[in-house]
Amino acid sequence: MRIRLRYSKFKTRSPEVYISDFCGRRLFHILTPVHQKNAEVDPSLNIIEHITRRGLLKEVTDGQNLANELQDGLKTTVYCGADPTAKSLHVGNLVPLLGMIHFGIRGHNMIGLVGGATVEVGDPSGRTTERTKMDDGIRLSNEEHISLQMKHILENAIAYAKSKGFTNIGQLIMTNNVYWWKNMTFLGFMDLVGRHLRVQEMLKRQSVQSRISSEAGIGFNEFTYQAMQAYDFFHLYNSHGCRVQIGGSDQYGNIVSGVDLTSRLQFARGLAKVPTYGVTTPLLTTATGEKLGKSAGNAVWLDAELTSPFALYQYFVRLPDADVEKYLKILTLMPLNDIEQVVKSHGQDESLRFGQHALAKEVTDMIHGIGAGDRAKIQSKILFATPNERVDFSADAIINAFKGDSQLKFLHANEILEQKLTQVIKLVDIRSGKAIRDLVLGGGVYAGPQLTRINDIKANVTPELLIDNKLLLLRLGKANMQLIALK
């Protein structure tokens, strides 16, 4: 049976969202509003309705019952996992983690799970061929990196949530499924898990169906992946009271298996019948439908060494206008009415990319810590400033933003002040003296807080060219920005 839930006060609605039972039968079809008025990120709101409005919900098992329990004040534990298939998580992984954070800011406990055991088996979800077996050294290195990174990101996200005014945030627990799988024997697995899963249901999973019908087929290891993930859910339920698993939409079959196995093991072990739930988030795509992720070859990494905070900021600044509102709702904790105002302001002059800069700052702050977004914004404004556009940041703010960057140089005052500009340029640029003179005469040198063009080879660096008497900005050509701070 399909029931259509209407939000009568909204005239426009976004793409469909389904609510299903734990066997995968779709029970509710929610029409989600695109625009809401006075819709704040309020912990007292029904979270199912709220994440639906933000575009964070794809499917939820037994969703009406979950909504009712949460409305009645249920406090539970939610988990989200990731296998260490690479050295870093990417922006696509952020979506289910944000879904879990939305539970967390309403007082629910959160578990970040690293799949140190399941990565050895290989998840067939979304793949047409079996994963290449990973070298043990690489796998262990990835496991270590992902464990630290997920903890760091979730802790930053919690700090970010607190900066938005949330104080009743649930506890964060980090764990690794290798802890309970490392001593599991094959016979123990068959007895503990195998006897309680129904093969006909496992065969129905999309990840299995697509591979069975393919030329490559599916190996027994990948077929049993969903059984391992299912037991992860039961283990976390049994040890931490975890009742909700959240993951990307490609994980729906694996999550449903976990809900089903937990129910069966509750009965088999004489445990109290307590419902568990699965929630999936949509895959992150662009306005053109392009998927973001390492398998798509366009991953934006969350590791600062692979994608710097500045590069992350720039990625979002370059987004097309059509993606801004969607990404603000999914990837930030900004209240929906604030997002509406950002989108409205953005629409007044799209060339200023107001919405993109707001999005870039929020995401960079959440991933790399509060303040990282402002530093990246300053870097962006400085590096892409146009001639005669005044730089309004203080020298200290600029120096802090470029700290550790090769473009920031420290020189003594007597090396700069009242010295010929061509001589100062020689100290920070590898070009020959003739090339520098030609660049100046050709109008390719800009200096000072307004990046004023200087085409006189006899010009000196005067105090008026410094910001706060301590920082000189130099643009050499179209793309080479140099910052010289006085020691």
Side-chain angles (χ1 to χ4, degrees), residues 100-115:
M100 183 170 71
I101 290 292
H102 276 284
F103 277 88
I105 62 178
R106 287 158 175 80
H108 303 286
N109 293 331
M110 300 163 283
I111 298 177
L113 174 69
V114 176

Side-chain angles (χ1 to χ4, degrees), residues 411-430:
L411 298 175
H412 292 289
N414 59 10
E415 296 178 279
I416 300 174
L417 286 175
E418 304 306 335
Q419 301 299 316
K420 281 190 168 40
L421 180 62
T422 53
Q423 294 301 316
V424 174
I425 293 174
K426 277 186 179 181
L427 298 176
V428 297
D429 192 87
I430 61 173

Side-chain angles (χ1 to χ4, degrees), residues 226-275:
Q226 62 178 292
M228 292 184 69
Q229 185 169 325
Y231 181 72
D232 286 346
F233 196 177
F234 173 75
H235 176 86
L236 294 175
Y237 161 77
N238 202 36
S239 58
H240 294 287
C242 180
R243 294 181 57 191
V244 180
Q245 179 184 176
I246 187 165
S249 59
D250 59 345
Q251 294 296 306
Y252 185 71
N254 296 334
I255 293 173
V256 168
S257 292
V259 174
D260 188 19
L261 178 64
T262 300
S263 176
R264 292 176 183 275
L265 286 176
Q266 285 173 348
F267 177 78
R269 295 186 173 190
L271 302 174
K273 176 61 177 174
V274 178

Side-chain angles (χ1 to χ4, degrees), residues 135-180:
D135 177 81
D136 286 346
I138 295 175
R139 174 178 54 78
L140 291 172
S141 176
N142 287 352
E143 190 177 329
E144 181 181 3
H145 278 92
I146 295 296
S147 297
L148 293 173
Q149 185 185 51
M150 185 184 291
K151 181 176 183 291
H152 182 65
I153 289 172
L154 289 172
E155 287 176 342
N156 280 346
I158 290 171
Y160 166 78
K162 289 179 178 177
S163 76
K164 298 296 181 185
F166 295 105
T167 56
N168 184 31
I169 301 176
Q171 178 185 4
L172 172 64
I173 301 167
M174 291 298 303
T175 190
N176 188 324
N177 62 14
V178 76
Y179 299 151
W180 53 88

